[in-house]
Amino acid sequence: MPVSNHDLLEAWKQVLTLSGLGAGHAVTVLTGSHSNEQTASAAIAAARALGARVTRILLEPVNAEKSLSRDPLAYLGSTPLTGNKVAMAACLASDFVIDLMLLLFSPEQQEILAAGTRILLAVEPPEILLRMVPNEADRLRVKDASVRLQAAREMTVRSAAGTDIRFALGQYPVITEYGLVDEPGRWDHWPSGFLFTWPNEGQSEGTLVIDSGDILLPAKRYAADPISLTVRGGYVVAIDGGLEAELFREYMESFEDPEGYAMSHIGWGLQPRARWATLSLYDREQTIGMDARAYAGNFLFSLGPNGEVGGTRHTPCHIDVPLRGCTVSLDGEPVVVNGVPVP
Ligand SMILES: [Fe+2]
């Protein structure tokens, strides 16, 4: 559905107000050739209405010749900010960066955050933003869950489809995503509503089964038949199944990087306004699949980098897979039962 400029402006005002943006703050809006113009206009108007000084930067795209996919999350590492001293100076001098382009998992993003600048990413189309405007309840739900995840030393995940895996925890911090940048140096993504951490290096053991109907990202498809991933010592060592497994293997091999097979972030979805079915209603070009990552009760696992939390793995390969119907337990206590979050 089309979104009115008024509704999108009000949504941005809510997000920026809950994020603490106020009079006199410096805001840099990062845009690229694929940024949504209505979103950019609304973000700028909202920041101005709250009294901020706004600078908009238009950056050139990168990595097109390296990536097999059009999805902006499919190839990580260098970004349009890499080596761009002028744009970096603007971001480092800002209180807020509104990222309408997608800087995820880059050293430049870490440098900007370390300077105390807040970064809010928003690249889904306006109607998805509007359906999932972050609110205080989203923040509390994710924060509450993060206390339990931070204290846990083991996560186990099982499903009727055959997933049975154990992750040792404690080496890496917990990341919360609820769509608000309510403290200095915080990064977040609107829309979201989930949390995750990384397993200890080398300490993931078991089997992950991607069942038919589970969503593959960045492929942005529903798997037609099951894929079984065998995980040993923190790495996927076997990918078994039919056509889907073949496609998965071929895509992974294209990066020619053994580190792409490492277990990356693991966590679960807590956003009741996100839907598993939404992806079936969109062209793949229209979304990056945040509904799939956030829908309540999914177990989201990832393969690839851990540089975002201080690890040394900076592989460009990045796979996200939200699984349905899992029971996720922390130190033996379930937080999700058969794909439904424990209240
Ligand atoms: Fe991911």
Side-chain angles (χ1 to χ4, degrees):
M1 286 287 171
V3 171
S4 79
N5 290 335
H6 172 79
D7 288 350
L8 196 55
L9 175 66
E10 293 303 310
W12 271 102
K13 280 189 193 165
Q14 175 173 323
V15 171
L16 295 178
T17 300
L18 289 175
S19 294
L21 187 139
H25 279 142
V27 177
T28 294
V29 180
L30 295 179
T31 55
S33 54
H34 60 285
S35 296
N36 183 289
E37 267 310 308
Q38 190 185 20
T39 299
S41 299
I44 291 166
R48 289 287 311 278
L50 295 171
R53 289 178 191 278
V54 182
T55 304
R56 176 177 177 171
I57 298 179
L58 179 63
L59 292 158
E60 288 288 293
V62 295
N63 293 328
E65 77 288 5
K66 296 179 196 151
S67 179
L68 290 187
S69 165
R70 290 175 62 89
D71 187 281
L73 283 166
Y75 196 95
L76 303 181
S78 60
T79 77
L81 281 186
T82 306
N84 188 333
K85 289 183 187 168
V86 174
M88 278 298 287
C91 292
L92 289 166
S94 297
D95 301 292
F96 289 77
V97 169
I98 296 175
D99 175 7
L100 306 182
M101 182 194 72
L102 220 160
L103 285 178
L104 203 56
F105 298 124
S106 64
E108 292 73 27
Q109 176 172 297
Q110 298 310 110
E111 187 182 341
I112 295 164
L113 295 173
T117 303
R118 309 166 195 218
I119 303 180
L120 180 63
L121 171 66
V123 293
E124 287 287 33
E127 71 280 5
I128 294 181
L129 298 180
L130 206 58
R131 173 161 47 86
M132 289 189 271
V133 183
N135 57 39
E136 184 61 13
D138 293 333
R139 193 179 77 87
L140 288 177
R141 194 182 316 115
V142 174
K143 281 259 190 191
D144 281 354
S146 75
V147 175
R148 298 186 65 181
L149 182 54
Q150 191 71 68
R153 289 297 165 265
E154 180 185 82
M155 179 190 290
T156 53
V157 186
R158 295 192 176 88
S159 75
T163 291
D164 189 354
I165 192 163
R166 175 191 168 280
F167 305 102
L169 303 178
Q171 184 175 350
Y172 291 112
V174 171
I175 305 283
T176 54
E177 288 194 26
Y178 45 81
L180 301 170
V181 284
D182 48 356
E183 47 193 275
R186 178 174 169 79
W187 174 91
D188 210 324
H189 189 174
W190 168 23
S192 50
F194 53 94
L195 71 162
F196 50 91
T197 187
W198 276 252
N200 297 351
E201 287 299 330
Q203 296 178 42
S204 308
E205 301 285 343
T207 305
L208 288 160
V209 175
I210 303 166
D211 203 4
S212 60
D214 284 330
I215 294 170
L216 302 164
L217 300 166
K220 289 180 283 197
R221 300 174 41 243
Y222 296 88
D225 53 47
I227 310 170
S228 176
L229 307 178
T230 305
V231 179
R232 294 282 177 266
Y235 287 82
V236 171
V237 296
I239 300 170
D240 296 302
L243 173 63
E244 293 290 355
E246 265 183 74
L247 289 167
F248 198 94
R249 265 199 307 269
E250 153 84 12
Y251 182 74
M252 295 295 292
E253 284 167 9
S254 73
F255 289 89
E256 297 182 344
D257 184 355
E259 295 303 320
Y261 295 85
M263 286 306 309
S264 182
H265 57 81
I266 50 171
W268 68 99
L270 285 170
Q271 177 52 272
R273 304 192 302 288
R275 310 294 300 191
W276 165 75
T278 309
L279 188 65
S280 69
L281 306 169
Y282 274 78
D283 283 345
R284 279 193 272 183
E285 299 293 317
Q286 294 175 320
T287 173
I288 60 166
M290 290 309 291
D291 273 274
R293 291 179 177 89
Y295 72 82
N298 84 71
F299 166 67
L300 177 63
F301 76 88
S302 178
L303 303 179
N306 63 8
E308 190 187 4
V309 279
T312 56
R313 191 172 297 116
H314 294 289
T315 174
C317 180
H318 176 228
I319 306 281
D320 280 345
V321 184
L323 300 181
R324 292 191 297 164
C326 289
T327 293
V328 181
S329 300
L330 300 176
D331 297 331
E333 286 290 315
V335 289
V336 176
V337 175
N338 296 327
V340 179
V342 176

